[in-house]
Structures are given as structure tokens and as C-alpha cells.
mmCIF file of all heavy atoms in Angstrom:
data_model
loop_
_atom_site.group_PDB
_atom_site.id
_atom_site.type_symbol
_atom_site.label_atom_id
_atom_site.label_comp_id
_atom_site.label_asym_id
_atom_site.label_seq_id
_atom_site.Cartn_x
_atom_site.Cartn_y
_atom_site.Cartn_z
ATOM 1 N N ILE A 1 0.838 -1.191 0.000
ATOM 2 C CA ILE A 1 0.000 0.000 0.000
ATOM 3 C C ILE A 1 0.874 1.242 0.000
ATOM 4 O O ILE A 1 1.824 1.344 0.776
ATOM 5 C CB ILE A 1 -0.953 0.003 1.209
ATOM 6 C CG1 ILE A 1 -1.930 -1.160 1.067
ATOM 7 C CG2 ILE A 1 -1.686 1.337 1.317
ATOM 8 C CD1 ILE A 1 -2.948 -1.269 2.153
ATOM 9 N N LYS A 2 0.532 2.139 -0.886
ATOM 10 C CA LYS A 2 1.208 3.431 -0.975
ATOM 11 C C LYS A 2 0.184 4.470 -0.502
ATOM 12 O O LYS A 2 -0.855 4.653 -1.136
ATOM 13 C CB LYS A 2 1.613 3.690 -2.424
ATOM 14 C CG LYS A 2 2.407 4.932 -2.658
ATOM 15 C CD LYS A 2 2.786 5.009 -4.145
ATOM 16 C CE LYS A 2 3.688 6.171 -4.431
ATOM 17 N NZ LYS A 2 4.044 6.222 -5.863
ATOM 18 N N ALA A 3 0.468 5.106 0.639
ATOM 19 C CA ALA A 3 -0.466 6.059 1.230
ATOM 20 C C ALA A 3 0.078 7.474 1.087
ATOM 21 O O ALA A 3 1.200 7.757 1.502
ATOM 22 C CB ALA A 3 -0.685 5.730 2.696
ATOM 23 N N TYR A 4 -0.736 8.341 0.499
ATOM 24 C CA TYR A 4 -0.356 9.734 0.315
ATOM 25 C C TYR A 4 -0.846 10.537 1.516
ATOM 26 O O TYR A 4 -2.022 10.501 1.857
ATOM 27 C CB TYR A 4 -0.975 10.290 -0.971
ATOM 28 C CG TYR A 4 -0.513 9.552 -2.196
ATOM 29 C CD1 TYR A 4 -1.258 8.516 -2.744
ATOM 30 C CD2 TYR A 4 0.691 9.874 -2.802
ATOM 31 C CE1 TYR A 4 -0.825 7.840 -3.870
ATOM 32 C CE2 TYR A 4 1.136 9.201 -3.917
ATOM 33 C CZ TYR A 4 0.366 8.186 -4.448
ATOM 34 O OH TYR A 4 0.799 7.508 -5.550
ATOM 35 N N GLY A 5 0.060 11.252 2.156
ATOM 36 C CA GLY A 5 -0.290 12.024 3.339
ATOM 37 C C GLY A 5 -0.195 13.513 3.093
ATOM 38 O O GLY A 5 -0.174 13.985 1.959
ATOM 39 N N MET A 6 -0.100 14.240 4.172
ATOM 40 C CA MET A 6 -0.017 15.694 4.110
ATOM 41 C C MET A 6 1.378 16.124 3.635
ATOM 42 O O MET A 6 2.358 15.426 3.856
ATOM 43 C CB MET A 6 -0.284 16.294 5.483
ATOM 44 C CG MET A 6 -1.633 15.923 6.072
ATOM 45 S SD MET A 6 -3.021 16.554 5.130
ATOM 46 C CE MET A 6 -2.970 18.251 5.607
ATOM 47 N N ARG A 7 1.419 17.281 3.002
ATOM 48 C CA ARG A 7 2.676 17.889 2.549
ATOM 49 C C ARG A 7 3.502 16.956 1.661
ATOM 50 O O ARG A 7 4.707 16.823 1.817
ATOM 51 C CB ARG A 7 3.491 18.358 3.736
ATOM 52 C CG ARG A 7 2.781 19.403 4.540
ATOM 53 C CD ARG A 7 3.626 19.922 5.628
ATOM 54 N NE ARG A 7 2.834 20.854 6.428
ATOM 55 C CZ ARG A 7 3.297 21.603 7.373
ATOM 56 N NH1 ARG A 7 4.567 21.553 7.684
ATOM 57 N NH2 ARG A 7 2.524 22.397 8.047
ATOM 58 N N ASN A 8 2.836 16.293 0.767
ATOM 59 C CA ASN A 8 3.472 15.400 -0.204
ATOM 60 C C ASN A 8 4.246 14.247 0.428
ATOM 61 O O ASN A 8 5.173 13.717 -0.172
ATOM 62 C CB ASN A 8 4.381 16.194 -1.145
ATOM 63 C CG ASN A 8 3.608 17.192 -1.959
ATOM 64 O OD1 ASN A 8 2.466 16.939 -2.324
ATOM 65 N ND2 ASN A 8 4.204 18.325 -2.238
ATOM 66 N N LYS A 9 3.892 13.879 1.627
ATOM 67 C CA LYS A 9 4.539 12.742 2.285
ATOM 68 C C LYS A 9 3.884 11.451 1.806
ATOM 69 O O LYS A 9 2.661 11.364 1.723
ATOM 70 C CB LYS A 9 4.398 12.879 3.799
ATOM 71 C CG LYS A 9 5.125 11.809 4.556
ATOM 72 C CD LYS A 9 5.039 12.047 6.047
ATOM 73 C CE LYS A 9 5.771 10.942 6.772
ATOM 74 N NZ LYS A 9 5.615 11.078 8.225
ATOM 75 N N VAL A 10 4.702 10.474 1.500
ATOM 76 C CA VAL A 10 4.210 9.183 1.043
ATOM 77 C C VAL A 10 4.734 8.110 1.983
ATOM 78 O O VAL A 10 5.928 8.050 2.270
ATOM 79 C CB VAL A 10 4.677 8.888 -0.406
ATOM 80 C CG1 VAL A 10 4.185 7.535 -0.867
ATOM 81 C CG2 VAL A 10 4.205 9.975 -1.347
ATOM 82 N N ASN A 11 3.818 7.264 2.461
ATOM 83 C CA ASN A 11 4.185 6.138 3.323
ATOM 84 C C ASN A 11 3.918 4.840 2.581
ATOM 85 O O ASN A 11 2.933 4.730 1.847
ATOM 86 C CB ASN A 11 3.373 6.161 4.621
ATOM 87 C CG ASN A 11 3.694 7.354 5.473
ATOM 88 O OD1 ASN A 11 4.857 7.674 5.667
ATOM 89 N ND2 ASN A 11 2.674 8.021 5.975
ATOM 90 N N TYR A 12 4.775 3.874 2.802
ATOM 91 C CA TYR A 12 4.623 2.566 2.174
ATOM 92 C C TYR A 12 4.394 1.519 3.257
ATOM 93 O O TYR A 12 5.085 1.513 4.278
ATOM 94 C CB TYR A 12 5.886 2.210 1.381
ATOM 95 C CG TYR A 12 6.134 3.153 0.232
ATOM 96 C CD1 TYR A 12 6.940 4.273 0.381
ATOM 97 C CD2 TYR A 12 5.558 2.925 -1.009
ATOM 98 C CE1 TYR A 12 7.168 5.143 -0.664
ATOM 99 C CE2 TYR A 12 5.779 3.792 -2.073
ATOM 100 C CZ TYR A 12 6.583 4.898 -1.888
ATOM 101 O OH TYR A 12 6.796 5.748 -2.936
ATOM 102 N N TYR A 13 3.414 0.665 3.022
ATOM 103 C CA TYR A 13 3.107 -0.418 3.946
ATOM 104 C C TYR A 13 2.996 -1.705 3.146
ATOM 105 O O TYR A 13 2.486 -1.708 2.023
ATOM 106 C CB TYR A 13 1.774 -0.169 4.658
ATOM 107 C CG TYR A 13 1.711 1.139 5.401
ATOM 108 C CD1 TYR A 13 1.111 2.258 4.836
ATOM 109 C CD2 TYR A 13 2.267 1.265 6.667
ATOM 110 C CE1 TYR A 13 1.056 3.457 5.514
ATOM 111 C CE2 TYR A 13 2.220 2.467 7.356
ATOM 112 C CZ TYR A 13 1.608 3.553 6.768
ATOM 113 O OH TYR A 13 1.564 4.747 7.446
ATOM 114 N N SER A 14 3.474 -2.781 3.723
ATOM 115 C CA SER A 14 3.277 -4.086 3.096
ATOM 116 C C SER A 14 2.932 -5.078 4.188
ATOM 117 O O SER A 14 3.432 -4.992 5.309
ATOM 118 C CB SER A 14 4.519 -4.528 2.321
ATOM 119 O OG SER A 14 5.606 -4.666 3.198
ATOM 120 N N GLY A 15 2.038 -5.979 3.864
ATOM 121 C CA GLY A 15 1.606 -6.971 4.832
ATOM 122 C C GLY A 15 0.512 -7.836 4.240
ATOM 123 O O GLY A 15 0.290 -7.851 3.034
ATOM 124 N N THR A 16 -0.179 -8.530 5.113
ATOM 125 C CA THR A 16 -1.239 -9.454 4.727
ATOM 126 C C THR A 16 -2.581 -8.873 5.134
ATOM 127 O O THR A 16 -2.731 -8.378 6.253
ATOM 128 C CB THR A 16 -1.035 -10.807 5.428
ATOM 129 O OG1 THR A 16 0.266 -11.288 5.108
ATOM 130 C CG2 THR A 16 -2.061 -11.824 4.985
ATOM 131 N N ILE A 17 -3.562 -8.937 4.246
ATOM 132 C CA ILE A 17 -4.910 -8.489 4.608
ATOM 133 C C ILE A 17 -5.473 -9.511 5.591
ATOM 134 O O ILE A 17 -5.632 -10.681 5.265
ATOM 135 C CB ILE A 17 -5.811 -8.374 3.367
ATOM 136 C CG1 ILE A 17 -5.262 -7.336 2.403
ATOM 137 C CG2 ILE A 17 -7.243 -8.021 3.791
ATOM 138 C CD1 ILE A 17 -6.040 -7.225 1.104
ATOM 139 N N THR A 18 -5.754 -9.049 6.815
ATOM 140 C CA THR A 18 -6.170 -9.971 7.866
ATOM 141 C C THR A 18 -7.646 -9.898 8.194
ATOM 142 O O THR A 18 -8.201 -10.873 8.694
ATOM 143 C CB THR A 18 -5.378 -9.715 9.162
ATOM 144 O OG1 THR A 18 -5.531 -8.355 9.533
ATOM 145 C CG2 THR A 18 -3.915 -10.046 8.974
ATOM 146 N N ALA A 19 -8.295 -8.782 7.949
ATOM 147 C CA ALA A 19 -9.706 -8.656 8.309
ATOM 148 C C ALA A 19 -10.425 -7.720 7.348
ATOM 149 O O ALA A 19 -9.844 -6.756 6.854
ATOM 150 C CB ALA A 19 -9.836 -8.136 9.728
ATOM 151 N N ILE A 20 -11.697 -8.029 7.120
ATOM 152 C CA ILE A 20 -12.554 -7.220 6.275
ATOM 153 C C ILE A 20 -13.749 -6.788 7.129
ATOM 154 O O ILE A 20 -14.406 -7.615 7.747
ATOM 155 C CB ILE A 20 -13.078 -8.045 5.070
ATOM 156 C CG1 ILE A 20 -11.928 -8.635 4.263
ATOM 157 C CG2 ILE A 20 -14.026 -7.232 4.220
ATOM 158 C CD1 ILE A 20 -11.134 -7.651 3.479
ATOM 159 N N TYR A 21 -14.003 -5.492 7.164
ATOM 160 C CA TYR A 21 -15.130 -4.940 7.904
ATOM 161 C C TYR A 21 -15.989 -4.129 6.943
ATOM 162 O O TYR A 21 -15.578 -3.876 5.808
ATOM 163 C CB TYR A 21 -14.620 -4.051 9.045
ATOM 164 C CG TYR A 21 -13.795 -4.807 10.062
ATOM 165 C CD1 TYR A 21 -12.411 -4.692 10.069
ATOM 166 C CD2 TYR A 21 -14.391 -5.643 11.001
ATOM 167 C CE1 TYR A 21 -11.641 -5.383 10.995
ATOM 168 C CE2 TYR A 21 -13.636 -6.335 11.939
ATOM 169 C CZ TYR A 21 -12.261 -6.205 11.930
ATOM 170 O OH TYR A 21 -11.511 -6.894 12.841
ATOM 171 N N PRO A 22 -17.186 -3.701 7.379
ATOM 172 C CA PRO A 22 -18.060 -2.962 6.444
ATOM 173 C C PRO A 22 -17.430 -1.713 5.833
ATOM 174 O O PRO A 22 -17.665 -1.417 4.664
ATOM 175 C CB PRO A 22 -19.264 -2.588 7.316
ATOM 176 C CG PRO A 22 -19.304 -3.638 8.363
ATOM 177 C CD PRO A 22 -17.858 -3.989 8.640
ATOM 178 N N ASN A 23 -16.595 -0.980 6.593
ATOM 179 C CA ASN A 23 -16.034 0.262 6.066
ATOM 180 C C ASN A 23 -14.519 0.277 5.963
ATOM 181 O O ASN A 23 -13.964 1.185 5.359
ATOM 182 C CB ASN A 23 -16.474 1.443 6.938
ATOM 183 C CG ASN A 23 -17.964 1.651 6.873
ATOM 184 O OD1 ASN A 23 -18.553 1.580 5.811
ATOM 185 N ND2 ASN A 23 -18.575 1.889 8.009
ATOM 186 N N ILE A 24 -13.849 -0.688 6.563
ATOM 187 C CA ILE A 24 -12.382 -0.714 6.562
ATOM 188 C C ILE A 24 -11.876 -2.132 6.352
ATOM 189 O O ILE A 24 -12.616 -3.108 6.484
ATOM 190 C CB ILE A 24 -11.793 -0.144 7.869
ATOM 191 C CG1 ILE A 24 -12.186 -1.014 9.068
ATOM 192 C CG2 ILE A 24 -12.184 1.296 8.073
ATOM 193 C CD1 ILE A 24 -11.441 -0.683 10.342
ATOM 194 N N PHE A 25 -10.580 -2.224 6.050
ATOM 195 C CA PHE A 25 -9.873 -3.499 6.039
ATOM 196 C C PHE A 25 -8.550 -3.283 6.751
ATOM 197 O O PHE A 25 -8.056 -2.170 6.847
ATOM 198 C CB PHE A 25 -9.671 -4.035 4.613
ATOM 199 C CG PHE A 25 -8.817 -3.163 3.736
ATOM 200 C CD1 PHE A 25 -7.461 -3.436 3.571
ATOM 201 C CD2 PHE A 25 -9.355 -2.091 3.051
ATOM 202 C CE1 PHE A 25 -6.664 -2.646 2.761
ATOM 203 C CE2 PHE A 25 -8.575 -1.290 2.229
ATOM 204 C CZ PHE A 25 -7.220 -1.571 2.091
ATOM 205 N N THR A 26 -7.984 -4.358 7.289
ATOM 206 C CA THR A 26 -6.734 -4.237 8.028
ATOM 207 C C THR A 26 -5.657 -5.081 7.377
ATOM 208 O O THR A 26 -5.932 -6.139 6.805
ATOM 209 C CB THR A 26 -6.888 -4.674 9.497
ATOM 210 O OG1 THR A 26 -7.289 -6.034 9.543
ATOM 211 C CG2 THR A 26 -7.906 -3.823 10.220
ATOM 212 N N ILE A 27 -4.428 -4.578 7.471
ATOM 213 C CA ILE A 27 -3.276 -5.361 7.044
ATOM 214 C C ILE A 27 -2.359 -5.520 8.251
ATOM 215 O O ILE A 27 -2.332 -4.673 9.141
ATOM 216 C CB ILE A 27 -2.519 -4.729 5.860
ATOM 217 C CG1 ILE A 27 -1.872 -3.408 6.247
ATOM 218 C CG2 ILE A 27 -3.414 -4.563 4.659
ATOM 219 C CD1 ILE A 27 -0.817 -2.936 5.267
ATOM 220 N N LYS A 28 -1.643 -6.617 8.260
ATOM 221 C CA LYS A 28 -0.757 -6.897 9.379
ATOM 222 C C LYS A 28 0.590 -7.345 8.850
ATOM 223 O O LYS A 28 0.677 -8.125 7.912
ATOM 224 C CB LYS A 28 -1.359 -7.988 10.258
ATOM 225 C CG LYS A 28 -0.613 -8.208 11.545
ATOM 226 C CD LYS A 28 -1.349 -9.174 12.447
ATOM 227 C CE LYS A 28 -0.637 -9.257 13.778
ATOM 228 N NZ LYS A 28 -1.347 -10.122 14.714
ATOM 229 N N SER A 29 1.633 -6.818 9.470
ATOM 230 C CA SER A 29 3.002 -7.250 9.198
ATOM 231 C C SER A 29 3.627 -7.558 10.558
ATOM 232 O O SER A 29 3.012 -7.291 11.588
ATOM 233 C CB SER A 29 3.780 -6.169 8.456
ATOM 234 O OG SER A 29 4.198 -5.172 9.337
ATOM 235 N N PRO A 30 4.835 -8.075 10.592
ATOM 236 C CA PRO A 30 5.454 -8.366 11.890
ATOM 237 C C PRO A 30 5.621 -7.133 12.776
ATOM 238 O O PRO A 30 5.637 -7.250 13.996
ATOM 239 C CB PRO A 30 6.819 -8.946 11.515
ATOM 240 C CG PRO A 30 6.642 -9.473 10.142
ATOM 241 C CD PRO A 30 5.630 -8.588 9.476
ATOM 242 N N ASN A 31 5.715 -5.943 12.200
ATOM 243 C CA ASN A 31 5.987 -4.740 12.972
ATOM 244 C C ASN A 31 4.764 -3.907 13.326
ATOM 245 O O ASN A 31 4.825 -3.086 14.235
ATOM 246 C CB ASN A 31 6.972 -3.845 12.213
ATOM 247 C CG ASN A 31 8.270 -4.558 11.947
ATOM 248 O OD1 ASN A 31 8.689 -5.403 12.715
ATOM 249 N ND2 ASN A 31 8.898 -4.235 10.833
ATOM 250 N N TYR A 32 3.663 -4.059 12.607
ATOM 251 C CA TYR A 32 2.500 -3.199 12.829
ATOM 252 C C TYR A 32 1.231 -3.832 12.294
ATOM 253 O O TYR A 32 1.266 -4.792 11.521
ATOM 254 C CB TYR A 32 2.705 -1.828 12.176
ATOM 255 C CG TYR A 32 3.029 -1.912 10.698
ATOM 256 C CD1 TYR A 32 2.032 -2.039 9.747
ATOM 257 C CD2 TYR A 32 4.336 -1.872 10.244
ATOM 258 C CE1 TYR A 32 2.333 -2.135 8.402
ATOM 259 C CE2 TYR A 32 4.649 -1.957 8.903
ATOM 260 C CZ TYR A 32 3.631 -2.080 7.989
ATOM 261 O OH TYR A 32 3.930 -2.182 6.662
ATOM 262 N N GLU A 33 0.107 -3.262 12.722
ATOM 263 C CA GLU A 33 -1.191 -3.576 12.158
ATOM 264 C C GLU A 33 -1.839 -2.240 11.806
ATOM 265 O O GLU A 33 -1.870 -1.324 12.617
ATOM 266 C CB GLU A 33 -2.053 -4.340 13.150
ATOM 267 C CG GLU A 33 -3.335 -4.837 12.547
ATOM 268 C CD GLU A 33 -4.067 -5.823 13.436
ATOM 269 O OE1 GLU A 33 -3.653 -6.027 14.588
ATOM 270 O OE2 GLU A 33 -5.054 -6.380 12.957
ATOM 271 N N LYS A 34 -2.332 -2.117 10.586
ATOM 272 C CA LYS A 34 -2.807 -0.833 10.090
ATOM 273 C C LYS A 34 -4.152 -1.041 9.402
ATOM 274 O O LYS A 34 -4.371 -2.057 8.750
ATOM 275 C CB LYS A 34 -1.770 -0.301 9.084
ATOM 276 C CG LYS A 34 -1.989 1.072 8.612
ATOM 277 C CD LYS A 34 -1.356 2.061 9.553
ATOM 278 C CE LYS A 34 -1.440 3.442 8.913
ATOM 279 N NZ LYS A 34 -1.731 4.469 9.848
ATOM 280 N N SER A 35 -5.056 -0.084 9.542
ATOM 281 C CA SER A 35 -6.358 -0.184 8.888
ATOM 282 C C SER A 35 -6.521 0.929 7.860
ATOM 283 O O SER A 35 -5.976 2.030 8.013
ATOM 284 C CB SER A 35 -7.480 -0.120 9.919
ATOM 285 O OG SER A 35 -7.477 1.109 10.581
ATOM 286 N N PHE A 36 -7.276 0.637 6.825
ATOM 287 C CA PHE A 36 -7.547 1.577 5.742
ATOM 288 C C PHE A 36 -9.015 1.480 5.369
ATOM 289 O O PHE A 36 -9.619 0.417 5.488
ATOM 290 C CB PHE A 36 -6.701 1.253 4.508
ATOM 291 C CG PHE A 36 -5.224 1.299 4.760
ATOM 292 C CD1 PHE A 36 -4.518 0.149 5.055
ATOM 293 C CD2 PHE A 36 -4.546 2.506 4.697
ATOM 294 C CE1 PHE A 36 -3.163 0.185 5.294
ATOM 295 C CE2 PHE A 36 -3.177 2.552 4.938
ATOM 296 C CZ PHE A 36 -2.490 1.397 5.235
ATOM 297 N N SER A 37 -9.570 2.565 4.885
ATOM 298 C CA SER A 37 -10.974 2.543 4.472
ATOM 299 C C SER A 37 -11.065 2.361 2.956
ATOM 300 O O SER A 37 -10.136 2.680 2.217
ATOM 301 C CB SER A 37 -11.689 3.824 4.900
ATOM 302 O OG SER A 37 -11.279 4.905 4.113
ATOM 303 N N TYR A 38 -12.216 1.864 2.537
ATOM 304 C CA TYR A 38 -12.448 1.706 1.105
ATOM 305 C C TYR A 38 -12.552 3.071 0.436
ATOM 306 O O TYR A 38 -12.194 3.234 -0.721
ATOM 307 C CB TYR A 38 -13.719 0.884 0.867
ATOM 308 C CG TYR A 38 -13.692 -0.453 1.574
ATOM 309 C CD1 TYR A 38 -14.551 -0.727 2.623
ATOM 310 C CD2 TYR A 38 -12.769 -1.425 1.221
ATOM 311 C CE1 TYR A 38 -14.509 -1.939 3.287
ATOM 312 C CE2 TYR A 38 -12.711 -2.640 1.879
ATOM 313 C CZ TYR A 38 -13.594 -2.886 2.905
ATOM 314 O OH TYR A 38 -13.535 -4.083 3.565
ATOM 315 N N ALA A 39 -13.010 4.072 1.183
ATOM 316 C CA ALA A 39 -13.108 5.437 0.651
ATOM 317 C C ALA A 39 -11.727 5.987 0.302
ATOM 318 O O ALA A 39 -11.598 6.773 -0.641
ATOM 319 C CB ALA A 39 -13.802 6.342 1.654
#
């Protein structure tokens, strides 16, 4: 996942999709767990 943030900052995340919810999904890697929305 390539996430565009404020002030042209770009974050990169890689992991496994672990859960699906009505409005978000989560990915997990050994170092973190992060959620993102479909929007």
C-alpha cells in the first residue's frame, strides 16, 4: 500500500490483509497492524 499524506509525504506499507469490515480493512506485518478505508 502506498499512502499519500499531508505535505506530499508518502508512506509505504506491506503486509497481509487480515480482516474485512463494512467500512475498513486491516493489514498486518510483523511490525504493525494498520487499517484503511475503502473510501
Side-chain angles (χ1 to χ4, degrees):
I1 295 182
K2 184 177 185 180
Y4 299 96
M6 302 296 284
R7 299 184 184 188
N8 297 326
K9 184 176 179 185
V10 179
N11 294 314
Y12 296 93
Y13 303 98
S14 62
T16 304
I17 298 176
T18 55
I20 304 289
Y21 298 103
N23 295 317
I24 64 169
F25 63 97
T26 61
I27 66 164
K28 188 173 186 177
S29 78
N31 301 329
Y32 55 83
E33 187 169 7
K34 188 87 172 141
S35 63
F36 300 96
S37 73
Y38 305 113

